Amino acid sequence: MTTDLPDGVERRPFGDATALATQGEPVYGEPVVDGWRRWDPTRSKLGAMLETGLDTGLAGGETVLYLGAAAGTTVSHVADFAGPTYAVEFATRPVQDLLDVVDDRQNLFPLLKDARKPATYAHVVEPVDVIVQDVATRGQARVALANRRFLADDGRLLVAFKARSEDVTASPDAVFEDALSELREGYEILETARLEPYHDDHLGVVARPHDDRTL
Amino acid sequence: MTERPTAADAAWFAGLDPGDVDGGARAIRDGEADQPADWPTLAVESGTVDSEAGYYEWLREAAVHATRQVVRERERADDRQLVHAVRAMDDCQRTANELAERLAEWAGSRYEDVGSGIAAARALAERESAADADERVVSLAQRVVDLDDEAADLRSFIERTAPEVAPNLAAMAGPVLAARLLSLAGGLESLAKKPSGTVQVLGAEDALFAHLRGQATSPKHGIIYTHEYVRGTPQANRGSAARALAGKLTIAARIDHYSGDLRPSLQAELDERIDAIRERDSE
Ligand SMILES: C[S@@+](CC[C@H](N)C(=O)[O-])C[C@H]1O[C@@H](n2cnc3c(N)ncnc32)[C@H](O)[C@@H]1O
């Protein structure tokens, strides 16, 4: 199916080809043409999810909780088209680069926190329309479940599961099946897609919270 | 009936004056809440801020401040790792050298021209070991090589982490000397609190005590002797060079401890000062 890109994300010409792009200050040496920064899907799971045509439900202007912001490659694009964007990352080294990204973006809030401990930032983060998750550590489904409390009832979880983070020996398909069935404890899965050729052994997932909010 | 705490009591901005960045940063770092709430609206409705725009501006400033503080603290905590690593590196190197001596003595009784030192141990470790004593000799050589390799790995670890822990000190002293100074002082905080005269003789404690007992002249430099700016300055002016270097390294340690920003002008000032000191000599 074809899906609309969110407002603020466009397919723009770069040289001979077209590519996804957002408007903002450049961050990782990406090409900029007429103020539009190319969004490199090989460096961004969310970029790859948009490229593969997953229906992310993003319209632009949403409030976003981003888990696993690292140096800010992807979250910089998100902040370019979204509303208030909370960026959670627990490693100090990438966060120093993230702070440079925050410098140029008024709607981006850095939080040096562990995504497995949502209570340590629930006093700061408001309920959001979208959670983007790219933590690439063991227990990725549990992280998504723990953060469900932030998501509005009709909100979307956009998560990239990395097979090798869970188990290096099992086949990716088996790992994804396990992760999805765990995720179903709190979410309804709307769509999935492998992120090849942009990212090997990654599964992109679009989900929304269950009606049962008692979890 | 007891008052149930309202959601707003858990907010990061609860009890703060609007725009209080320090207080906000502290609350963001240390606070907790079970559930999120519509904080921006609560902040406006409670009269804490007068608009959502004002709320987000304050939040952003406080969040950046909090993040910077935690980054700095964790780096400071990492000075302990650096201290352990440099001590372990020295132990590995010393032990490797001692064992290499023992090895050379033993191997010399069995082979012709074995040589000495780590290089000889590396050559011995490559030999086909026949049996018995030869086998033990080759195996011992392998242990020496392993220790020497470990020392090299520890050195790369130090080179990688010292610029994160103490950027100015590592830039001016070099990462290994920076780690040694941290080790001798007992960490970045205590190094930052030492007067420059103490930093100048760190590592020369034996000589210093001898001097205090009246048995020797006062030492002009400790471990900073290994710095090119001291070692490479002619004898007559070495004391001045050591003083100048220690002065700048002390400032570097203080900046690293209290702010953590890289200040390249410091290096330029030191370069000039040392040039001037060496000039004096050539007259
Ligand atoms: C694959 S990288 C993210 C790349 C980033 N999303 C991008 O596209 O620009 C995964 C990041 O998640 C972070 N991470 C892993 N576990 C985490 C946790 N429990 N809490 C917060 N961050 C975590 C890692 O430190 C790492 O920076």
Side-chain angles (χ1 to χ4, degrees), chain B residues 97-109:
Chain B
N97 289 334
E98 272 173 25
L99 273 180
E101 257 178 63
R102 164 74 51 238
L103 176 73
E105 200 180 315
W106 189 357
S109 76

Side-chain angles (χ1 to χ4, degrees), chain B:
Chain B
M1 212 178 87
T2 50
E3 278 288 311
R4 266 178 54 88
T6 62
D9 292 333
W12 66 272
F13 51 81
L16 296 178
D17 290 335
D20 176 355
V21 171
D22 271 331
R26 204 172 319 120
I28 289 173
R29 294 176 48 179
D30 304 334
E32 285 207 357
D34 218 31
Q35 295 295 328
D38 188 352
W39 307 125
T41 304
L42 282 169
V44 175
E45 278 175 0
S46 66
T48 311
V49 293
D50 43 24
S51 69
E52 282 210 355
Y55 170 81
Y56 283 124
E57 201 178 309
W58 179 24
L59 167 62
R60 181 166 165 280
E61 239 184 290
V64 166
H65 195 59
T67 305
R68 288 226 158 86
Q69 281 177 341
V70 179
V71 165
R72 203 173 304 149
E73 258 164 44
R74 287 211 206 143
E75 279 178 353
R76 221 177 281 165
D78 268 356
D79 65 353
R80 305 304 320 159
Q81 303 306 306
L82 204 51
V83 166
H84 285 301
V86 76
R87 290 178 184 169
M89 179 182 80
D90 287 345
D91 286 349
C92 283
Q93 204 59 70
R94 184 174 34 74
T95 312
N97 289 334
E98 272 173 25
L99 273 180
E101 257 178 63
R102 164 74 51 238
L103 176 73
E105 200 180 315
W106 189 357
S109 76
R110 307 193 57 85
Y111 308 110
E112 304 274 297
D113 51 71
V114 271
S116 65
I118 306 285
R122 287 198 178 271
L124 277 166
E126 298 289 304
R127 286 195 190 226
E128 290 291 324
S129 53
D132 289 346
D134 283 345
E135 196 183 341
R136 299 316 336 140
V137 167
V138 171
S139 175
L140 185 62
Q142 189 55 56
R143 300 289 87 76
V144 175
V145 170
D146 288 346
L147 279 170
D148 189 54
D149 288 346
E150 187 57 39
D153 287 349
L154 285 163
R155 175 176 292 269
S156 349
F157 173 80
I158 291 161
E159 286 169 347
R160 185 160 49 77
T161 50
E164 286 178 18
V165 173
N168 291 289
L169 188 66
M172 294 175 71
V176 174
L177 176 55
R180 289 223 159 87
L181 287 167
L182 292 177
S183 165
L184 287 163
L188 182 55
E189 177 160 12
S190 31
L191 183 63
K193 290 184 173 158
K194 291 205 187 306
S196 121
T198 306
V199 173
Q200 191 182 334
V201 295
L202 271 180
E205 283 71 15
D206 290 349
L208 188 61
F209 288 130
H211 165 66
L212 292 176
R213 283 195 305 266
Q215 294 162 345
T217 57
S218 110
K220 298 207 172 26
H221 40 65
I223 190 73
I224 65 168
Y225 177 75
T226 58
H227 196 283
E228 153 63 17
Y229 276 176
V230 180
R231 223 178 6 166
T233 296
Q235 181 71 50
N237 293 326
R238 229 173 248 167
S240 314
R243 205 169 322 116
L245 177 63
K248 291 296 182 212
L249 293 183
T250 307
I251 297 171
R254 286 178 195 159
I255 299 175
D256 288 339
H257 177 64
Y258 293 105
S259 97
D261 300 330
L262 190 60
R263 186 103 48 94
S265 58
L266 217 54
Q267 177 78 52
E269 287 165 28
L270 175 64
D271 294 347
E272 252 174 59
R273 184 85 193 89
I274 295 291
D275 278 348
I277 289 171
R278 289 182 177 176
E279 273 312 295
R280 264 196 248 157
D281 188 64
S282 60
E283 278 160 16

